[in-house]
Amino acid sequence: MINYMISLTDEDMMKEEPISLFSPANPIPTETIFLSNIDQAVTFPVETLFFYAAAGTADVAAMVRTAVERVLLVPYYFMAGRLRWSGDAQRLELVCNNSGVLFVSARTRVSLDDLGDLSNPNADFSRFVHRPGLYKSFEDTPIFTIQVTRFECGAFALGFMTNHAILDGKSASEMFHNLASICRGEGLKTVWVDNDRTPLKARTPPQIHFPHNEYLELSKTLSQPSSFTSQKRMSPSPLIFSNNYVHKLFAFSNETLAKLKNKTLAKCSTFEAILAHIWRARTRAYFDNLDQESTVLFAVDIRDKITPPLPEAFAGNAVITAFARARARDLIGRPLWFGVERVREGVERVTNEYIRSVIDWLEVHKGIPATGNGGAFYVSAWWKLTFGEVDLGFGWPQHAGPIVSGNDEFVLFLDDGNSGINVWLGLDKDKMDNFSSCVYQM
């Protein structure tokens, strides 16, 4: 278990005034982009941070700024736009009005080594990302900010804030790799970005053929707290929502993951094995009444599951919330393969017809993923994304990942940089003590 953190203060950081970067190829007249119901359910900011240990990078801020405003914002012109609530359509839309991407150059008097173990999520790392105001209106909030921070030692941090309604994890990773390619002098990897979300429009009339308890109706979100936001409601990212819990990072080496997979007594993926294991351990720690049902939510990529398949260059949200559910007593008392099978059923449930049913359900009920509902929690597999390979010309980052302080509704699977997985979660103290005592029991 990793538990080292360092504190940063305002005196440690010197930030210049934000500069607005504009697209040189914004469409005229102004384009308004339809956002799918999947986009509408995840309208919160996501903060991603890259640490680079390279020295001799005095001009890195100018390099990144030039790459963004001259090249990246040509195909990604919409990232300089703003979200807007359409009263007529009763939904959010993306207005490509070229209001700008905010860019900040900063420096810090600390060295990269002073931060200690970079793989341990640290809420203070938010100082390396520009937050334009967490509770501003959508119209006044940039959907993309960039901050380049140079350390005393010459290393630097690259921090991004994007809005999840515009890019999912795979799309964001592709954009970061495009930026890195430009900085290396190799130009755009992707010269065209498919921002047409109309293939994910609801059917008319909606055809809901499955129950969708993995989502919570919008009318119920007002009385039931949730980290997700939806429609006209604005909130911080669910990853930076609360400090009311104890948060810890649990390391699973490649060897430990192999042991877990062997315990299933059947062929399974690393994701299925670690998800089933964490689900069971958290259930053991969380539930007093073992006759209650325990639910884990997780994202499934639908790019190749929907008919017709989405283009490779698709930039919107192409993931829906899947789930696995079991009685706590069964999940805890039966072997690991029981949980693995429930997870696999959750993945296999996501067919074309199921995806269409989800989209139509969201059209009727609006709503958000049902975290916090009876102890349900969401697992986000950041380790699957290739953020750790974003090379601006100085080599791969020493660490790349989200900025989190966390809550008890989200569990993150993070890359440990060495073929293993770091599991980050929050629970109240008693539950965390119980979880810590059993999470490595196999």
Side-chain angles (χ1 to χ4, degrees):
M1 182 177 67
I2 306 167
N3 202 30
Y4 176 79
M5 301 187 79
I6 187 173
S7 294
L8 296 171
T9 66
D10 290 338
E11 289 72 28
D12 292 323
M13 302 289 296
M14 288 68 72
K15 294 187 179 183
E16 297 180 6
E17 286 297 312
I19 300 170
S20 292
L21 308 183
F22 304 102
S23 170
N26 199 67
I28 300 174
T30 299
E31 178 186 11
T32 299
I33 294 175
F34 167 83
L35 297 180
S36 75
N37 291 335
I38 303 173
D39 297 326
Q40 306 276 331
V42 287
T43 54
F44 56 79
V46 177
E47 299 175 338
T48 310
L49 185 59
F50 300 79
F51 289 108
Y52 293 88
T57 57
D59 60 348
V60 65
M63 179 187 69
V64 172
R65 174 184 172 180
T66 300
V68 171
E69 64 182 345
R70 294 186 182 178
V71 185
L72 187 73
L73 288 181
V74 174
Y76 288 96
Y77 64 89
F78 54 91
M79 295 302 292
R82 296 292 185 268
L83 289 169
R84 180 179 68 188
W85 175 257
S86 169
D88 292 338
Q90 288 293 294
R91 62 190 302 118
L92 283 169
E93 55 192 15
L94 175 58
V95 182
C96 300
N97 56 10
N98 212 12
S99 290
V101 172
L102 285 189
F103 179 87
V104 175
S105 179
R107 58 189 177 89
T108 177
R109 64 185 184 184
V110 305
S111 296
L112 186 60
D113 288 344
D114 293 333
L115 300 184
D117 187 350
L118 299 174
S119 67
N120 189 31
N122 186 338
D124 282 350
F125 288 173
S126 63
R127 297 180 186 275
F128 298 112
V129 170
H130 180 61
R131 293 177 173 177
L134 294 174
Y135 292 98
K136 287 185 177 181
S137 68
F138 282 121
E139 292 85 349
D140 296 329
T141 304
I143 58 175
F144 189 21
T145 74
I146 305 166
Q147 180 176 317
V148 180
T149 306
R150 290 195 67 240
F151 291 91
E152 188 71 22
C153 59
F156 69 97
L158 185 58
F160 298 99
M161 187 280 292
T162 58
N163 193 292
H164 206 313
I166 313 304
L167 300 172
D168 64 8
K170 182 176 180 179
S171 300
S173 179
E174 183 69 20
M175 184 179 71
F176 298 152
H177 278 283
N178 269 296
L179 174 57
S181 182
I182 299 165
C183 290
R184 293 195 306 270
E186 300 172 13
L188 285 161
K189 290 165 53 69
T190 306
V191 296
W192 175 71
V193 178
D194 188 337
N195 211 9
D196 179 13
R197 294 128 195 267
T198 57
L200 298 179
K201 269 191 172 182
R203 295 171 289 195
T204 305
Q207 302 170 44
I208 304 171
H209 295 153
F210 303 89
H212 293 291
N213 296 326
E214 67 273 28
Y215 289 94
L216 185 66
E217 293 181 28
L218 180 60
S219 60
K220 296 179 181 178
T221 64
L222 300 177
S223 59
Q224 180 168 320
S226 174
S227 301
F228 280 105
T229 188
S230 179
Q231 304 294 323
K232 289 186 288 185
R233 297 169 57 211
M234 187 68 172
S235 81
S237 163
L239 304 183
I240 57 171
F241 189 74
S242 172
N243 288 315
N244 297 329
Y245 302 96
V246 175
H247 304 94
K248 291 185 179 179
L249 192 72
F250 299 88
F252 287 80
S253 66
N254 190 40
E255 293 75 19
T256 304
L257 294 172
K259 290 179 182 178
L260 267 182
K261 293 173 72 172
N262 288 336
K263 290 282 289 185
T264 66
L265 304 179
K267 186 177 181 180
C268 71
S269 68
T270 299
F271 175 74
E272 290 170 338
I274 187 65
L275 179 60
H277 177 72
I278 295 299
W279 178 28
R280 182 166 66 168
R282 189 183 182 280
T283 298
R284 187 190 302 274
Y286 196 95
F287 286 90
D288 296 322
N289 180 0
L290 298 185
D291 289 322
Q292 288 183 292
E293 284 196 325
S294 176
T295 302
V296 59
L297 309 173
F298 52 95
V300 170
D301 193 310
I302 63 172
R303 285 169 173 81
D304 296 327
K305 292 179 176 289
I306 198 167
T307 304
L310 295 173
E312 182 65 26
F314 182 76
N317 283 275
V319 293
I320 67 167
T321 297
F323 72 94
R325 181 173 294 137
R327 191 173 65 153
R329 186 182 309 279
D330 294 332
L331 187 62
I332 295 169
R334 302 184 70 172
L336 184 61
W337 61 259
F338 176 81
V340 168
E341 286 188 349
R342 303 291 82 73
V343 170
R344 186 171 295 167
E345 288 171 359
V347 175
E348 293 174 348
R349 187 183 296 118
V350 182
T351 61
N352 177 66
E353 184 53 41
Y354 192 87
I355 296 165
R356 296 294 179 185
S357 181
V358 165
I359 294 170
D360 291 355
W361 186 95
L362 290 170
E363 180 76 11
V364 173
H365 301 289
K366 314 305 180 186
I368 54 180
T371 58
N373 186 11
F377 66 104
Y378 202 110
V379 169
S380 184
W382 278 69
W383 117 90
K384 288 186 174 184
L385 303 172
T386 58
F387 292 161
E389 300 172 14
V390 174
D391 178 6
L392 280 73
F394 308 100
W396 285 3
Q398 189 164 326
H399 177 74
I403 296 174
V404 297
S405 58
N407 52 43
D408 72 338
E409 299 171 38
F410 277 80
V411 174
L412 301 183
F413 291 171
L414 305 172
D415 186 359
D416 75 344
N418 194 31
S419 300
I421 296 174
N422 287 336
V423 178
W424 172 255
L425 77 160
L427 290 167
D428 65 37
K429 185 181 184 306
D430 290 342
K431 289 182 173 63
M432 181 59 79
D433 289 343
N434 292 338
F435 182 87
S436 299
S437 69
C438 69
V439 67
Y440 290 119
Q441 294 177 9
M442 299 182 190

